C-alpha cells in the first residue's frame, strides 16, 4: 500500500436544525463575539435571521457581514476582515455556499495573525494561526466546509487558492434544512460539482488512498441516488440530507486526493464567462472522462457499478456506461450539455486550452497526461458534445 496522509476537520455535526445550535460550538471554542459571513441572497430569503436570532438568544450576538459576492474577489475578503477587526470579533462563522465559506476561511486567518492577504496564496503559506471557525454550508457542492482550500478571485479572469491545513475549520455543521430552498438550477450545478469531486478524487494519480476512495464511493452513491429528487422536488428532506452529506464526503475525499483535468479545464470557463463553478465542471466532464478512458477505464468501471447498479460487461463496457450515465444525469437535471449551449464562442477554444494548461497543479493529478492539443480536443468535443 502507498503511504498517505489524511487531514480533515476535528468535528462534523450532521443534524437537521444544527444551524440553530451554533452557540454550543461557540462556547466550546471560547467564542463570545463571532463574525457571521454570508451573502445578500441568503439574507433576502430569510435563511440567516433565525441563525442570528438563535445566537442572540444564547447571549452571543454576532456581527454580520452579508456582502459576499459569488466567486468572491479580494475586495470582499478585505471588507469582511475590516468589519471583523473593527468590531473586535473573536471567531468566524460562515453560513452560505463555497463563496461565503471561502471568505470566512481567509478572514479567520487575517484576523488571527498579521499576514497580508497577498502572502497567503499557494500551498502552506499560512504561517500563524487563525480565529476559531465554524462553517455551515447552504449548498451541497463545494465541500469547502472540509477542505483546506479557499478560492479567491484575484483579477478580471483569474482566481488563486490559499491552501493550508490551517483553513480546516474547528467545526463543520451540516444542516440540510438550510438547503430546502436551494433553487433547482443551483442544486443541479453544485450537485454535479460534488460528483466531479468524488470522481476526480477516485482517479487522482498522486494521492489517491484507501480513505479517500471509500469517501468518494459513498459520496457518489449518495449524490447519484438523490440528485434528481433534490433538483425536481426541493422539499424532499431525505434527498437534501443525502446531497449535503454526499458533497461533504466528496470534499473530504478531494481534500486528500486532489481534483484534476475536469477542474483544470473548467476554471478558464469560470474566469472568462463567469459561468458558475459547478456548471463549468459539468460542461467538460463527459469529454474529459472520454479522454481519460485509455488510462482510467478500470476505475471508471468500478464507479459505474455505483451509478448504474447491475451494470454488466467487461471493463470497457462498464466504463462507457459511466460516461453514458453522466450524460443522462446532466440531461435529467436540465443543465446545458454543450459549450455551445452555454454561450461559449467557438473561436475562443484555443485560448481556453492555453489557459487550462496553466493549471499544472491540477493536471498532475489526472490519470492521463493532458497536452495542449489534448485540451483543445476536449474543448472541441465539449463544444458539440460529440466525444
Ligand atoms: N474551498 C473549496 O474547496 C472550493 C471547492 C470548489 C469551489 N470553491 C469555490 O466556491 C464558490 C462556489 O460556491 P457554491 O457553488 O457553493 O456557490 P455560492 O456560494 O457562490 O452561491 C451561489 C448562489 O446560490 C445562492 N444560495 C446558496 N445557498 C442557498 C440556499 N440554501 N438557498 C437559496 N439560495 C442559495 C447564493 O445566494 C448564491 O447566489 C466558487 O468561488 C468556487 O471557486 C471552493
Ligand atoms: Fe469543484
Amino acid at each position: 500500500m502507498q503511504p498517505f496522509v489524511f487531514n480533515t476537520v476535528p468535528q462534523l455535526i450532521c443534524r437537521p436544525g444544527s444551524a440553530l445550535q451554533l452557540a454550543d460550538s461557540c462556547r466550546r471554542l471560547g467564542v463570545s463575539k463571532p463574525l457571521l459571513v454570508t451573502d445578500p441572497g441568503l439574507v433576502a430569503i430569510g435563511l440567516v435571521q433565525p441563525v442570528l436570532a438563535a445566537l442572540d438568544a444564547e447571549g452571543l450576538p454576532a456581527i454580520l457581514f452579508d456582502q459576499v459576492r459569488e466567486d468572491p474577489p479580494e475586495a470582499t475578503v478585505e471588507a469582511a476582515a475590516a468589519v471583523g477587526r473593527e468590531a473586535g470579533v473573536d471567531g468566524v462563522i460562515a453560513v452560505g455556499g463555497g463563496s461565503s465559506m471561502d471568505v470566512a476561511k481567509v478572514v479567520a486567518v487575517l484576523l488571527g495573525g498579521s499576514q497580508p492577504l497577498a502572502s497567503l496564496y499557494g500551498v502552506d503559506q499560512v504561517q500563524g494561526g487563525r480565529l476559531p471557525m465554524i462553517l455551515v454550508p447552504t449548498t451541497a457542492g463545494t465541500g469547502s466546509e472540509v477542505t483546506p482550500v479557499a478560492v479567491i478571485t484575484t483579477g478580471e479572469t483569474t482566481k488563486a487558492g490559499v491552501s493550508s491545513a490551517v483553513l480546516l475549520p474547528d467545526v463543520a455543521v451540516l444542516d440540510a434544512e438550510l438547503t430546502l430552498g436551494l433553487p433547482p438550477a443551483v442544486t443541479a450545478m453544485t450537485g454535479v460539482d460534488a460528483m466531479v469531486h468524488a470522481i476526480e478524487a477516485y482517479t487522482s494519480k498522486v494521492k489517491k488512498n484507501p480513505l479517500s476512495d471509500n469517501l468518494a464511493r459513498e459520496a457518489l452513491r449518495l449524490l447519484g441516488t438523490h440528485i434528481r429528487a433534490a433538483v425536481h422536488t426541493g422539499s424532499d428532506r431525505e434527498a437534501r440530507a443525502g446531497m449535503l452529506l454526499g458533497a461533504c464526503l466528496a470534499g473530504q475525499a478531494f481534500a486528500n486526493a486532489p481534483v484534476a483535468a475536469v477542474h483544470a479545464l473548467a476554471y478558464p470557463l469560470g474566469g472568462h464567462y463567469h459561468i458558475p463553478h459547478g456548471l463549468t465542471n459539468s460542461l467538460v466532464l463527459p469529454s474529459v472522462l472520454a479522454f481519460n478512458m485509455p488510462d482510467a477505464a478500470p476505475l471508471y468501471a468500478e464507479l459505474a457499478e455505483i451509478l448504474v447498479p447491475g451494470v454488466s460487461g467487461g471493463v470497457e463496457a462498464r466504463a462507457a456506461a459511466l460516461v453514458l450515465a453522466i450524460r443522462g444525469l446532466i440531461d435529467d437535471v436540465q443543465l446545458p450539455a454543450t459549450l455551445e449551449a452555454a454561450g461559449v464562442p467557438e473561436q475562443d477554444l484555443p485560448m481556453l486550452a492555453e489557459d487550462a494548461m496553466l493549471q499544472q497543479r491540477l493536471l498532475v493529478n489526472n490519470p492521463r497526461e493532458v497536452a495542449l492539443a489534448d485540451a483543445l480536443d476536449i474543448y472541441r468535443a465539449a463544444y458539440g458534445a460529440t466525444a
Side-chain angles (χ1 to χ4, degrees):
M1 192 200 301
Q2 287 271 22
F4 70 97
V5 174
F6 190 91
N7 289 307
T8 194
V9 295
Q11 189 176 61
L12 183 70
I13 299 174
C14 183
R15 188 193 311 136
S18 49
L20 303 180
Q21 293 156 0
L22 300 182
D24 295 345
S25 298
C26 284
R27 277 196 211 96
R28 193 174 59 76
L29 297 169
V31 174
S32 58
K33 194 179 198 187
L35 176 72
L36 193 147
V37 176
T38 188
D39 74 52
L42 296 179
V43 174
I45 61 170
L47 209 73
V48 179
Q49 286 83 341
V51 179
L52 289 170
L55 283 166
D56 229 16
E58 296 280 339
L60 287 162
I63 306 299
L64 181 64
F65 179 84
D66 61 1
Q67 293 303 312
V68 173
R69 281 174 40 198
E70 288 178 28
D71 299 314
E74 288 184 313
T76 298
V77 176
E78 298 284 15
V83 168
R85 200 174 287 121
E86 172 90 352
V89 299
D90 57 4
V92 180
I93 298 172
V95 176
S99 298
S100 295
M101 290 191 283
D102 285 4
V103 169
K105 286 158 106 169
V106 179
V107 166
V109 169
L110 291 176
L111 296 183
S114 54
Q115 271 182 277
L117 175 55
S119 72
L120 300 178
Y121 296 116
V123 179
D124 291 334
Q125 300 301 310
V126 179
Q127 277 144 23
R130 57 157 172 77
L131 290 186
M133 179 171 40
I134 303 168
L135 299 181
V136 189
T138 63
T139 59
T142 69
S144 178
E145 70 276 10
V146 288
T147 73
V149 178
V151 185
I152 303 300
T153 300
T154 47
E156 266 304 299
T157 61
T158 48
K159 285 183 167 191
V162 180
S163 178
S164 160
V166 177
L167 294 193
L168 287 166
D170 299 292
V171 190
V173 176
L174 303 186
D175 180 353
E177 297 291 308
L178 297 181
T179 65
L180 292 175
L182 196 62
V186 187
T187 304
M189 292 178 207
T190 51
V192 173
D193 182 30
M195 295 180 84
V196 174
H197 296 158
I199 294 168
E200 294 213 284
Y202 199 69
T203 56
S204 195
K205 199 166 178 175
V206 191
K207 293 184 175 168
K208 174 180 166 63
N209 64 75
L211 264 181
S212 64
D213 281 352
N214 275 295
L215 289 160
R217 293 174 63 91
E218 179 61 5
L220 199 63
R221 189 189 70 75
L222 285 165
L223 296 162
T225 303
H226 294 295
I227 190 167
R228 288 175 179 83
V231 168
H232 296 297
T233 316
S235 57
D236 183 332
R237 287 189 152 77
E238 198 190 330
R240 290 299 195 180
M243 291 300 291
L244 193 58
L245 181 59
C248 180
L249 300 185
Q252 287 181 313
F254 92 88
N256 294 280
V259 292
V262 179
H263 275 75
L265 273 79
Y267 276 140
L269 298 172
H272 289 285
Y273 316 112
H274 298 289
I275 300 172
H277 175 76
L279 178 56
T280 60
N281 278 305
S282 178
L283 286 167
V284 296
L285 173 61
S287 307
V288 173
L289 293 180
F291 170 81
N292 284 344
M293 213 47 102
D295 289 313
L299 293 176
Y300 288 162
E302 290 174 20
L303 294 181
E305 287 160 26
I306 298 169
L307 273 196
V308 193
V311 66
S312 60
V315 166
E316 305 295 321
R318 280 178 289 138
L322 177 77
V323 185
L324 212 63
I326 294 283
R327 284 195 195 284
L329 187 142
I330 289 170
D331 195 44
D332 287 348
V333 299
Q334 288 161 4
L335 291 179
T338 65
L339 293 178
E340 185 178 21
V344 174
E346 192 171 13
Q347 68 268 24
D348 286 3
L349 302 186
M351 175 271 293
L352 293 172
E354 296 222 355
D355 262 22
M357 294 312 289
L358 300 176
Q359 301 290 337
Q360 288 303 320
R361 173 183 72 86
L362 302 176
L363 290 172
V364 293
N365 304 313
N366 202 55
R368 184 177 173 195
E369 197 174 322
V370 182
L372 177 62
D374 301 322
L376 184 54
D377 283 349
I378 295 170
Y379 279 130
R380 286 211 178 103
Y383 186 81
T386 52

